[in-house]
Amino acid sequence: MTESGKPILYSYFRSSCSWRVRIALALKGIDYETMPINLIKDGGQQFSKEFQALNPTRQVPALEIDGITISQSLAIIEYLEETRPTPRLLPQDPKKRARVRMISDLIAGGIHPLQNLSVLKQVGQENQLTWAQNAITSGFNSLEQILQSTAGQYCVGDEVSMADLCLVPQVANAERFKVDLTPYPTISRINKTLLALEAFQVSHPCRQPDTPAELRA
Amino acid sequence: MTESGKPILYSYFRSSCSWRVRIALALKGIDYETMPINLIKDGGQQFSKEFQALNPTRQVPALEIDGITISQSLAIIEYLEETRPTPRLLPQDPKKRARVRMISDLIAGGIHPLQNLSVLKQVGQENQLTWAQNAITSGFNSLEQILQSTAGQYCVGDEVSMADLCLVPQVANAERFKVDLTPYPTISRINKTLLALEAFQVSHPCRQPDTPAELRA
């Protein structure tokens, strides 16, 4: 934490996992400081000795809060939910909570890891786009079908939940990798509704302290 | 659920995500029936129309319980924890819970998806072993360092937790892909301790209803 006791978020403007946490912090009104970790510059600042000591996974996001450092975006969000429960990001009903976690895990564990920067590096530049598109469309085929039975205004019913925090950054990645979103009307509709909310806007990659000038909006 | 009201676990003996859930069910003493889904046979039974209707992600495990079907292993375990809290698989203290979830997500979202069957198929047969080994060693390098600060007898302190349910199947995968475990003394020690527990034995891939005779133990 900073001297003033504010949590510190180690974040990269374009990291979709960091964006998930930034949305949670914004929705819950938690004041924090951003410590940018540039995943490209200097061969990747996440590999510095200082950062590795803080977060052995060498990934963003990591959140220093309440005297501990937590990595993994969903673990961070669950911690925030347990210690700062208002407004809630998980419904009260266990069955609905299961749906929220199922969708969150599908995106965070089933889609995103396969199109993450570190994996795309291994795939080789000429195969990256196809690889990422396959990972996303395969996941979105499942997700669209699931959402058709769980969604209201948002991913699960009419309350913004952790699942929505995963959806919006994943759709942004899909757009970045030029995935045709026409077959996913439910995903597209929910994404558009969410992007109109202030918490999703202030946390957006184009509005972070480390966003390069040419990408700012 | 079955007519007698028992939960049904859609599972494949070798699936490490299914194993995680089988351990949870065993630890909590929940009686269930196994419905084997062979991920290889008939081009993959997970792609059948019947299974896709039940679980659009076309993956195991899926658990039919309390009138709903849940997919994604960690979402299932969290649901079991919320509805059948004894014995607990998440500590009471929120900071310890964060550590458990951080380790679980690192394995379930950061290591396992990259060495999963569906990804290895895309990598091509000649590259599979190296690809899987890289994914596992990179993750284990982080995990070993994290465990050195969180572990007691088990991954987080001296209580078996969700993190342990992720660890054991991941180590089994590492062994299957011939990863040298010498650099990971903490991972190896905890794995050995856990494998001595009955819940980890009855749930083991070599003891499932769909385990082929030649692999049974």
Side-chain angles (χ1 to χ4, degrees), chain A residues 112-163:
Chain A
H112 178 262
L114 303 181
Q115 51 98 97
N116 203 4
L117 183 62
S118 56
V119 172
L120 293 183
K121 272 188 197 165
Q122 289 180 65
V123 168
Q125 196 144 21
E126 70 283 13
N127 302 319
Q128 287 185 359
L129 191 67
T130 312
W131 177 282
Q133 287 175 338
N134 286 346
I136 295 170
T137 53
S138 170
F140 275 17
N141 289 342
S142 306
L143 184 59
E144 177 71 20
Q145 200 179 330
I146 290 172
L147 290 175
Q148 281 171 11
S149 70
T150 63
Q153 200 178 354
Y154 305 118
C155 284
V156 178
D158 294 321
E159 273 181 36
V160 173
S161 74
M162 183 165 70

Side-chain angles (χ1 to χ4, degrees), chain A residues 51-143:
Chain A
F51 189 68
Q52 275 197 60
L54 189 87
N55 178 13
T57 67
R58 295 153 288 162
Q59 291 170 329
V60 289
L63 186 68
E64 267 189 76
I65 188 167
D66 302 338
I68 57 169
T69 304
I70 314 174
S71 61
Q72 300 295 327
S73 61
L74 299 188
I76 296 171
I77 295 167
E78 293 265 5
Y79 178 80
L80 294 175
E81 182 71 1
E82 291 186 344
T83 56
R84 281 94 171 155
T86 313
R88 67 175 178 233
L89 297 177
L90 286 168
Q92 273 186 308
D93 172 50
K95 292 180 185 178
K96 286 190 185 159
R97 293 164 75 88
R99 287 188 194 112
V100 168
R101 290 194 176 108
M102 182 172 76
I103 294 166
S104 304
D105 288 351
L106 169 59
I107 297 172
I111 305 175
H112 178 262
L114 303 181
Q115 51 98 97
N116 203 4
L117 183 62
S118 56
V119 172
L120 293 183
K121 272 188 197 165
Q122 289 180 65
V123 168
Q125 196 144 21
E126 70 283 13
N127 302 319
Q128 287 185 359
L129 191 67
T130 312
W131 177 282
Q133 287 175 338
N134 286 346
I136 295 170
T137 53
S138 170
F140 275 17
N141 289 342
S142 306
L143 184 59

